Amino acid sequence: MDKATFLQNLAEKLTPFETANMVDFARHLTVKSALSNPWFVFGFLIVAFYAVVRKSKFVLATLFTTFSLLLLIHFTMPVEGETLNLSTTLPFAFGGLAIGAFLIYLFFIKTE
């Protein structure tokens, strides 16, 4: 295998990791697609295992925030074509406040 064919094969294999493809993946990411993607689940489990073993409050809080915001956005944002109204904005706002209140409790109020 010469150098040109190797580079051609490498470019074909790395095509899914181009910026446009990554942005398109993140834009269409749903809870169902995230939980069915083995890379996403494997990465989440590795970070969660590290956080539990090292007892890192910061990493656990980051995982909690990421997962809860993913769920909050999935369940409160309107479908494409619909506009934001009070019935979707209030749960999003109060859900964000609840996440923030839990993080404040975790870092500033609760002591070990």
Side-chain angles (χ1 to χ4, degrees), residues 5 7 14 16 20 22 24 31 35 39-40 46 51 53-54 63-64 71 82 85-86 88 91-92 95 110-111:
T5 57
L7 290 176
L14 293 177
M22 297 294 279
D24 187 49
V31 175
L35 293 178
W39 289 103
F40 190 79
I46 285 178
V53 168
R54 300 291 295 178
L63 287 174
F64 166 75
L71 288 174
E82 292 183 13
N85 54 23
L86 194 60
T88 57
F92 182 76
K110 183 181 178 220
T111 59

Side-chain angles (χ1 to χ4, degrees), residues 9-104:
N9 288 338
L10 183 64
E12 289 174 9
K13 298 242 189 268
L14 293 177
T15 300
F17 297 105
E18 290 178 345
T19 304
N21 292 334
M22 297 294 279
V23 168
D24 187 49
F25 174 76
R27 179 184 291 152
H28 295 99
L29 184 67
T30 62
V31 175
K32 184 177 181 180
S33 66
L35 293 178
S36 65
N37 186 346
W39 289 103
F40 190 79
V41 172
F42 185 69
F44 183 80
L45 289 176
I46 285 178
V47 172
F49 180 74
Y50 170 78
V52 170
V53 168
R54 300 291 295 178
K55 296 180 182 172
S56 173
K57 191 188 300 187
F58 178 75
V59 177
L60 283 171
T62 303
L63 287 174
F64 166 75
T65 304
T66 304
F67 189 70
S68 58
L69 283 177
L70 182 67
L71 288 174
L72 183 68
I73 289 171
H74 175 71
F75 287 116
T76 58
M77 284 294 144
V79 195
E80 262 186 54
E82 292 183 13
T83 60
L84 283 173
N85 54 23
L86 194 60
S87 66
T88 57
T89 306
L90 286 178
F92 182 76
F94 287 118
L97 285 174
I99 293 168
F102 178 75
L103 291 174
I104 288 171

